[in-house]
Amino acid sequence: GFTCPTGSVLRANEASITGFDEATCCLTTCSGFTCTAGKALRSDAASFTGSDEATCCSQTCSGFACPTGNMIREDAAIIVGSDEAMCCFQTCSGFTCPAGHALKADAASMAGRDVGTCCDKS
């Protein structure tokens, strides 16, 4: 059979195809596609056929707006996702410190939900 070059795979019906060249026998995979900002190449790009963003790319967290009391993950640009659970960390601003403690001054910009991270002794 025909051997497709890197970045392409044999068509599923290769045995019934008349021809012995790349254009006839192979399909381009997503592995060579470049996604735009805010998107990441599919994890199975090397075996998934396609040559457009809708087929080859997934939304990353970098374009997600976290709700109040949350902050976007530092690694948002490489995390595939588009929801709060995948893209955000809760900040200390919504945490209630126990008696004898007060929220740290920068609580809104700190990811955390515990006394050690969010509170100072008062």
Side-chain angles (χ1 to χ4, degrees):
F2 188 80
T3 301
C4 295
T6 301
S8 61
V9 293
L10 279 174
R11 291 179 184 271
N13 59 341
E14 63 154 318
S16 62
I17 296 173
T18 303
F20 202 73
D21 60 87
E22 182 179 348
T24 306
C25 300
C26 306
L27 292 171
T28 302
T29 65
C30 290
S31 61
F33 189 79
T34 302
C35 301
T36 59
K39 306 263 181 163
L41 201 57
R42 299 172 59 107
S43 59
D44 59 352
S47 60
F48 200 86
T49 58
S51 58
D52 62 272
E53 189 159 275
T55 305
C56 297
C57 306
S58 299
Q59 182 67 45
T60 64
C61 288
S62 61
F64 186 76
C66 295
T68 302
N70 291 271
M71 61 189 283
I72 195 82
R73 295 172 56 119
E74 289 180 14
D75 56 354
I78 61 168
I79 300 290
V80 173
S82 58
D83 61 36
E84 184 178 345
M86 288 295 298
C87 302
C88 309
F89 288 130
Q90 289 185 319
T91 64
C92 289
S93 62
F95 184 75
T96 303
C97 296
H101 292 78
L103 270 180
K104 292 184 177 182
D106 53 353
S109 63
M110 297 176 66
R113 301 303 284 169
D114 61 86
V115 174
T117 305
C118 301
C119 309
D120 286 327
K121 286 194 177 210
S122 52

